[in-house]
Amino acid sequence: MIKFGTDGWRAIISDEFTFRNVRAVAQAIAEYFLDHSQVERGLIIGYDSRFLSDKYAKECARVIAANGLKVFLTSKVTPTPVVSYLVRSLRAAGAIVITASHNPAEYNGIKIKGDFGGSALPSMICEIEKKINQGPVREMRFEDALNQGLVSKIDPDPYYYKHLLNFINLKAFSYFPFKVIIDPMYGAASGYIKKFLEDIGVESIEIRGEFNPGFKNINPEPIEKNLKELQRLVIEETAAIGIATDGDGDRVGAIDRDGTFINPHYIFALLLRHLVLIKRWRGAVVKTFSTTKIIDKLAQKYELDLFETPIGFKYICEIFLTKNVLIGGEESGGIGFKNHVPERDGILSSLLLLEIMATHKKNLGELIKELMEEVGSHYYSRLDLELSDPSKKDLINYLKGNSFKSFNGLDILFKQNLDGVKFYLEDGSWVLFRASGTEPMIRIYAESYKSKYANELLNEGKKLFI
């Protein structure tokens, strides 16, 4: 049975992710939008740089068109946040994005967007799942759909670039003494940041921007173990910063001038401070269950409402739609902003990070040092454990159901089961155990006031699963 996870449906190509199953999901999506009387508004369909993504997009287009819905198919590989912004620009009913985001190359997937330009809400996904394989799939030839005007190809970039030019403070870049290295990790965001910086006169170099559906055997996730080439080049080129985006361009990662990986928690915190102190924007702050306590401290200091959600930007998106949200972010580097679509955007996050450096004329290390002086030291680590034995996921329920008193020699003050199980320890540290919603693995997260203590918590947690 096809099931949607943390953000969409993902599966291994030619195993579960087949043309037949893609058409079945497309039919269910079409029926959902038909049921909600949004025929005249049409759907956007975009796709990433993975194997067969363009072909899967055409399959979706001809099914959606056969159901009488107008389709706007992007004319090229397009990042997810660009597709999301196009939904708002064209006032479309929603969007389909063919992407498996940061997953390994053997995966592909489908993300669904609502008319608000953000991730489909859990209620939408639930309805669509129920419709899959419940009736015949309507189909028409792609060429016939084009000729009849049911499918139109569209270049999404002009809409998105115009928005970026209005969002980013270009005056801050009037003197930008930094060299930037950009790493889109062979993903859909290739060329986007490079073009923007070229247009405003900022020196940059892009690596791994060519088309490579296999990602050269590196998962397109901007975490430290996948960014060795970027680290090397930042040092070699004496650049001030390296910026990375994931496979579909909705996550951000960064490397400091000395090659140090800057985890997304620091990026989230720096962006929050910038929006409040420099842009003078206000609003609520939303974070997922696995995100640093730095955000809690900053929200309290700036007297901003704070909301915590399960992992998955769809939960953050729900709050964007009901509250005045300033910023919402995840541990994984997916961050969304006020005055934008309620969607994480690795491209916009990258440019805002550069705007912070341009504003203060400081590198990331200096900015993070200032942040730590403000909120205290926080060190974060994550460990991903592949599960050859799926039954080990049951250990999460075991941890939830038992009254543990201590962990790694520290008293457990309390635990929360919002998404997985999280232990809050007597020294202010915490550790979270959670089954991945997109891959067969257990993720263990930890935060402490010393890096070695965070790693100790991970190692102690690992013992439970081996």
Side-chain angles (χ1 to χ4, degrees):
M1 186 169 63
I2 295 169
K3 295 290 292 181
F4 283 67
T6 304
D7 188 11
W9 169 50
R10 299 176 201 174
I12 294 174
I13 299 168
S14 296
D15 182 3
E16 186 181 341
F17 203 87
T18 63
F19 285 110
R20 179 177 180 177
N21 282 344
V22 167
R23 289 192 293 268
V25 172
Q27 179 64 38
I29 294 170
E31 290 174 8
Y32 171 86
F33 284 102
L34 288 170
D35 287 350
H36 289 78
S37 303
Q38 302 205 42
V39 179
E40 71 286 350
R41 297 174 68 186
L43 291 178
I44 313 295
I45 298 180
Y47 56 94
D48 68 7
S49 57
R50 288 173 180 270
F51 180 61
L52 295 178
S53 283
D54 58 335
K55 303 296 191 298
Y56 292 129
K58 286 185 177 180
E59 289 296 291
C60 287
R62 67 190 192 86
V63 170
I64 299 297
N67 281 272
L69 286 157
K70 173 75 175 174
V71 173
F72 300 93
L73 176 65
T74 60
S75 57
K76 63 185 187 63
V77 168
T78 308
T80 293
V82 179
V83 175
S84 294
Y85 189 76
L86 191 60
V87 170
R88 288 279 292 271
S89 297
L90 299 185
R91 297 184 178 179
I96 296 170
V97 188
I98 306 298
T99 180
S101 188
H102 63 280
N103 280 46
E106 61 267 26
Y107 283 79
N108 214 323
I110 290 177
K111 290 184 177 182
I112 305 170
K113 306 298 173 182
D115 62 357
F116 41 84
S119 299
L121 303 179
S123 58
M124 294 173 61
I125 293 299
C126 185
E127 280 192 58
I128 290 169
E129 279 185 333
K130 289 177 180 178
K131 294 177 182 296
I132 296 172
N133 291 322
Q134 293 303 301
V137 174
R138 297 186 180 92
E139 301 177 44
M140 67 186 302
R141 292 177 66 249
F142 181 76
E143 292 75 14
D144 292 341
L146 280 174
N147 292 335
Q148 294 176 32
L150 287 168
V151 174
S152 302
K153 292 190 177 182
I154 187 169
D155 180 0
D157 291 355
Y159 301 89
Y160 183 72
Y161 276 120
K162 182 179 179 181
H163 177 62
L164 290 183
L165 289 169
N166 290 324
F167 199 104
I168 297 298
N169 178 15
L170 300 182
K171 290 182 179 178
F173 289 88
S174 57
Y175 173 65
F176 189 78
F178 306 115
K179 182 191 289 186
V180 181
I181 312 294
I182 308 159
D183 183 4
M185 305 189 75
Y186 305 111
S190 296
Y192 277 79
I193 298 172
K194 173 73 172 172
K195 181 184 183 304
F196 186 91
L197 294 181
E198 283 180 349
D199 289 348
I200 64 173
V202 174
E203 182 182 3
S204 66
I205 298 171
E206 183 180 82
I207 63 172
R208 301 199 288 189
E210 65 270 24
F211 182 71
N212 189 320
F215 307 112
K216 286 198 174 179
N217 297 317
I218 293 179
N219 295 1
E221 182 180 12
I223 57 179
E224 185 171 13
K225 69 178 183 179
N226 299 331
L227 300 178
K228 301 303 182 186
E229 185 175 349
L230 181 59
Q231 288 176 310
R232 177 188 62 78
L233 199 61
V234 165
I235 295 171
E236 187 177 294
E237 292 287 334
T238 61
I241 183 175
I243 292 175
T245 49
D246 73 326
D248 69 332
D250 64 5
R251 296 184 180 189
V252 62
I255 303 295
D256 197 12
R257 64 190 311 162
D258 62 357
T260 300
F261 174 73
I262 305 300
N263 73 53
H265 303 270
Y266 292 149
I267 295 173
F268 186 0
L270 291 175
L271 292 171
L272 169 56
R273 290 176 79 234
H274 185 68
L275 296 182
V276 173
L277 300 180
I278 302 302
K279 289 187 177 289
R280 300 293 181 182
W281 294 357
R282 302 285 296 176
V285 179
V286 190
K287 54 170 262 189
T288 52
F289 196 42
S290 57
T291 305
T292 176
K293 289 170 68 177
I294 296 174
I295 303 304
D296 306 53
K297 291 184 176 181
L298 290 177
Q300 183 178 24
K301 178 176 181 178
Y302 303 145
E303 299 181 335
L304 303 175
D305 290 336
L306 176 71
F307 298 90
E308 189 171 50
T309 72
I311 284 83
F313 205 83
K314 59 190 175 186
Y315 300 109
I316 295 177
C317 182
E318 282 187 297
I319 299 177
F320 261 102
L321 297 178
T322 57
K323 305 289 184 182
N324 173 28
V325 175
L326 172 66
I327 187 171
E330 304 175 291
E331 166 270 339
S332 60
I335 304 169
F337 307 96
K338 185 175 185 174
N339 299 324
H340 190 42
V341 286
E343 174 72 286
R344 53 193 167 188
D345 190 334
I347 300 168
L348 180 55
S349 296
S350 298
L351 294 174
L352 281 172
L353 200 56
L354 297 179
E355 181 182 305
I356 295 172
M357 293 173 64
T359 300
H360 299 278
K361 300 295 185 290
K362 294 178 180 178
N363 59 49
L364 289 178
E366 293 169 324
L367 292 166
I368 291 170
K369 182 180 179 182
E370 289 180 357
L371 175 66
M372 293 302 98
E373 289 172 352
E374 182 177 347
V375 299
S377 297
H378 290 72
Y379 295 93
Y380 182 94
S381 263
R382 186 182 97 184
L383 181 65
D384 295 346
L385 298 176
E386 292 188 13
L387 288 183
S388 55
D389 180 2
S391 68
K392 290 204 171 182
K393 282 190 176 181
D394 294 340
L395 283 169
I396 301 294
N397 291 326
Y398 170 75
L399 293 173
K400 288 181 181 179
N402 282 267
S403 300
F404 290 89
K405 301 297 184 183
S406 64
F407 185 84
N408 197 40
L410 296 169
D411 289 345
I412 297 173
L413 299 183
F414 63 97
K415 71 177 180 179
Q416 288 183 320
N417 300 337
L418 179 63
D419 191 342
V421 58
K422 190 174 187 179
F423 296 150
Y424 293 87
L425 307 177
E426 61 177 309
D427 68 343
S429 303
W430 58 262
V431 59
L432 166 66
F433 302 89
R434 176 182 171 271
S436 170
T438 60
E439 298 170 80
M441 61 176 55
I442 293 291
R443 302 194 196 280
I444 308 174
Y445 314 78
E447 184 176 44
S448 185
Y449 61 94
K450 286 188 178 181
S451 59
K452 70 174 185 178
Y453 292 161
N455 290 324
E456 281 182 12
L457 294 174
L458 293 184
N459 289 330
E460 188 67 21
K462 182 179 179 179
K463 293 177 184 177
L464 297 171
F465 295 91
I466 58 175

